Amino acid sequence: MKTLVDHLAQYAAYHRDRRNIASHFIGIPMIVLAVAVLLSRPGFALFGLWLAPATLVALAAALFYLRLDTRFGLVMSLLLALCLWAAAGLALAGTALWLSAGLGLFVVGWVIQFVGHYYEGRKPAFVDDVMGLMVGPLFVVAELAFLLGLRKEVEHAVVGIAGPTCIREKKALA
């Protein structure tokens, strides 16, 4: 099984341009929330909790993240719980609001992602490895931790494999 550093370094190799990384700070949370919203129906309330397909997906994701790393896994679990809470609110709203919010967040989030990859000059990681869809949200949390000066040992290991971040210059057209 791949380690935390293995997953983050493989994903980071596709994300070294700082503008692309910045786009992921916006696009990925939008996409994760959109998936939670769209999977929040059908559902039902049980002991004050909204249970839906989104709940099962979030639990599976939380277990994956916790298995990779306890500290990042706890943060990811909290963020997934917040997404489930917001999604449950939209699931109880009218169909038009639920569906337009879910689809709108999903489409806009992906547009932002592809703009970032335009600057990167490289396709998204999930094109080569579907696990990139699971690692992307963790990558955003890890990058935020690195910006805050946390988990330096993980950051150094990832940068040692994927290389430093940069601003890529546009190639002149011939």
Side-chain angles (χ1 to χ4, degrees):
M1 177 179 140
K2 288 184 180 179
T3 67
L4 172 70
V5 170
D6 292 337
H7 279 294
L8 289 176
Q10 181 178 347
Y11 193 87
Y14 290 78
H15 303 87
R16 301 324 297 151
D17 187 287
R18 291 183 197 115
R19 296 166 294 190
N20 189 23
I21 294 169
S23 76
H24 282 54
F25 275 87
I26 300 164
I28 286 181
M30 291 176 75
I31 294 166
V32 171
L33 180 56
V35 170
V37 168
L38 293 170
L39 293 178
S40 66
R41 284 188 177 185
F44 60 93
L46 180 66
F47 303 116
L49 296 174
W50 185 255
L51 300 178
T55 312
L56 296 175
V57 171
L59 284 172
L63 288 173
F64 170 76
Y65 297 132
L66 285 165
R67 203 173 106 204
L68 276 180
D69 184 84
T70 303
R71 289 179 279 177
F72 280 138
L74 289 172
V75 172
M76 292 302 299
S77 297
L78 174 65
L79 293 172
L80 289 169
L82 289 171
C83 285
L84 289 175
W85 173 77
L90 285 167
L92 296 172
T95 300
L97 177 59
W98 162 75
L99 195 55
S100 62
L103 291 175
L105 285 165
F106 192 80
V107 170
V108 172
W110 277 110
V111 167
I112 292 168
Q113 293 297 95
F114 285 116
V115 168
H117 279 280
Y118 167 79
Y119 288 115
E120 184 74 43
R122 190 160 186 197
K123 62 189 170 188
F126 76 86
V127 173
D128 290 330
D129 183 0
V130 74
M131 279 305 294
L133 295 171
M134 286 291 293
V135 177
L138 178 61
F139 174 79
V140 170
V141 168
E143 285 293 320
L144 179 59
F146 301 159
L147 286 172
L148 295 173
L150 304 171
R151 305 299 305 267
K152 286 294 188 187
E153 75 286 357
V154 176
E155 179 183 18
H156 291 304
V158 169
V159 171
I161 297 167
T165 61
C166 61
I167 299 290
R168 296 194 191 282
E169 297 292 327
K170 296 304 291 176
K171 296 178 181 173
L173 298 174

